[in-house]
């Protein structure tokens, strides 16, 4: 789901303009297109981890993280199951410095809750347009910028926050890569040993760190990807159950049907009939 709302004549007392606010959430794997524009964009990650690429650099955005992308800097986002707020901003020269990397990245820290609530309130004002919503949006926008500016200024406008390669960030990158690998190859016979070998972690550390980041084990996430794809195929095609089972990585259709029924509460055939009746 993508919602964008333009907000006319919305600016702070210092002249920073809010052009629009967008809210994005998804359940399936999604990758945007590379683009650049002549204004700043402030991304605030609300839920789950998404992947961010700025020019030739990559980093994950976790809940509570934000990134400000400079004008005319190429960037793209991708992920699955994440939610974020995006603000399109003009005249922000005095609010955010120009980074040599083209972006500033940080974490809201103990201000995560208030920044999230302010951002969502701003989104709801722009969406519902109650009386005097422009004035409300201007005030909320100014507060969001204030909190983000305080975090950015804490780094003394040197290098982007949290982009140094530390053992912890390297580990996060490995876990994010493991998630991406599963999403791209879930139809294949992936094993835990194979996955742990690819990222250089033992399988027990992989399970622990993957669970900490995404709430499920790598193999459970593999099954999520398979069943999500299976439900999509059941809803949108007339392929046989056996064909769909093989298409999403199950070698035996009866095992697929058994696990599907256990997970969804209905058989694959019943699920298909239910989806057809809904449509």
């Amino acid at each position: 789901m993508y919602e964008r709302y333009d907000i006319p004549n919305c600016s702070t007392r210092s002249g920073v303009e809010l052009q629009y606010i967008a809210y994005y959430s998804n359940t399936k794997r999604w990758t945007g297109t590379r683009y650049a524009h002549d204004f700043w964009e402030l991304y605030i990650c609300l839920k789950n981890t998404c992947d961010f690429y700025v020019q030739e650099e990559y980093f994950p955005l976790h809940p509570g993280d934000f990134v400000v992308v400079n004008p005319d800097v190429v960037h793209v986002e991708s992920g699955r199951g994440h939610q974020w707020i995006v603000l399109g901003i003009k005249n922000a020269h005095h609010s955010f410095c120009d980074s040599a990397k083209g972006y500033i990245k940080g974490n809201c820290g103990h201000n995560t809750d208030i920044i999230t609530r302010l951002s969502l309130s701003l989104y709801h004002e722009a969406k519902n347009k109650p009386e005097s919503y422009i004035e409300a949006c201007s005030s909320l926008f100014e507060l969001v910028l204030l909190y983000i500016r305080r975090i950015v200024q804490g780094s003394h406008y040197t290098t982007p926050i949290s982009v140094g390669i530390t053992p912890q960030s390297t580990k996060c990158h490995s876990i994010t890569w493991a998630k991406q690998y599963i999403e791209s190859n879930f139809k294949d016979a992936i094993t835990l040993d194979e996955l742990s070998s690819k990222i250089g972690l033992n399988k027990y550390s992989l399970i622990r760190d993957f669970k900490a980041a995404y709430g499920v084990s790598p193999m459970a996430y593999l099954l999520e990807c398979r069943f999500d794809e299976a439900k999509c195929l059941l809803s949108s095609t007339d392929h046989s159950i056996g064909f769909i089972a093989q298409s999403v990585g199950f070698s035996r259709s009866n095992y697929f049907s058994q696990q599907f029924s256990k997970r969804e509460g209905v058989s694959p055939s019943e699920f298909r009939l239910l989806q057809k009746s809904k449509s």
Side-chain angles (χ1 to χ4, degrees):
M1 178 179 73
Y2 178 79
E3 300 175 60
R4 169 178 161 155
Y5 302 98
D6 294 334
I7 311 173
N9 305 315
C10 182
S11 62
T12 67
R13 286 168 293 182
S14 61
V16 183
E17 297 178 20
L18 175 61
Q19 291 187 292
Y20 67 85
I21 182 167
Y23 172 83
Y24 184 81
S25 68
N26 69 4
T27 55
K28 296 181 179 179
R29 179 70 187 173
W30 176 87
T31 301
T33 55
R34 293 170 62 87
Y35 65 103
H37 32 62
D38 62 353
F39 52 88
W40 283 261
E41 273 191 324
L42 166 60
Y43 290 80
I44 302 172
C45 185
L46 303 180
K47 180 181 176 182
N48 290 340
T49 298
C50 60
D51 305 319
F52 212 91
Y53 302 82
V54 181
Q55 300 186 124
E56 301 304 319
E57 292 203 44
Y58 155 81
F59 49 85
L61 283 183
H62 304 288
D65 287 348
F66 67 86
V67 60
V68 184
V69 181
N70 289 356
D72 304 315
V73 171
V74 176
H75 56 289
V76 65
E77 318 84 45
S78 69
R80 180 178 182 272
H82 59 276
Q83 295 177 3
W84 59 36
I85 289 283
V86 187
L87 305 182
I89 303 170
K90 277 208 165 184
N91 301 327
H93 301 85
H94 302 296
S95 295
F96 305 111
C97 72
D98 290 332
S99 164
K101 291 180 178 291
Y103 68 93
I104 299 170
K105 176 179 178 290
N107 181 268
C108 299
H110 65 276
N111 291 312
T112 297
D113 183 57
I114 189 168
I115 292 173
T116 298
R117 285 190 284 115
L118 288 169
S119 301
L120 288 174
S121 296
L122 177 53
Y123 154 69
H124 287 297
E125 287 286 333
K127 177 179 181 178
N128 299 314
K129 297 179 173 57
E131 184 182 354
S132 302
Y133 82 97
I134 297 292
E135 290 85 344
C137 287
S138 296
S139 298
L140 291 165
F141 174 51
E142 188 154 23
L143 283 170
V144 170
L145 283 190
L146 172 65
Y147 280 100
I148 296 296
R149 190 185 300 118
R150 284 175 177 173
I151 296 167
V152 171
Q153 287 176 340
S155 69
H156 304 294
Y157 292 109
T158 52
T159 57
I161 303 169
S162 302
V163 296
I165 302 301
T166 63
Q168 184 62 32
S169 63
T170 301
K171 184 184 287 188
C172 288
H173 187 282
S174 297
I175 296 301
T176 303
W177 185 91
K179 175 175 175 282
Q180 290 178 320
Y181 184 83
I182 291 171
E183 290 168 351
S184 300
N185 300 278
F186 65 85
K187 298 176 184 179
D188 300 332
I190 301 174
T191 67
L192 194 60
D193 287 331
E194 173 193 356
L195 199 57
S196 59
S197 174
K198 285 181 179 295
I199 66 172
L201 283 176
N202 67 62
K203 58 186 178 182
Y204 304 107
S205 296
L206 171 59
I207 293 170
R208 181 195 65 219
D209 295 338
F210 199 97
K211 271 188 175 181
Y214 304 112
V216 294
S217 69
M219 293 299 101
Y221 187 67
L222 172 67
L223 288 177
E224 278 188 20
C225 292
R226 287 178 173 177
F227 283 117
D228 283 350
E229 180 70 9
K231 287 190 287 185
C232 181
L233 291 172
L234 286 167
S235 302
S236 59
T237 73
D238 292 321
H239 296 322
S240 69
I241 305 301
F243 178 86
I244 290 174
Q246 289 192 337
S247 297
V248 300
F250 289 91
S251 57
R252 293 184 293 117
S253 60
N254 59 340
Y255 178 73
F256 163 73
S257 296
Q258 180 187 41
Q259 293 302 310
F260 189 97
S261 301
K262 194 175 187 180
R263 186 184 187 92
E264 301 297 328
V266 292
S267 69
S269 299
E270 290 169 332
F271 178 86
R272 170 174 273 166
L273 287 174
L274 285 169
Q275 295 307 304
K276 285 185 176 179
S277 66
K278 287 179 183 178
S279 60

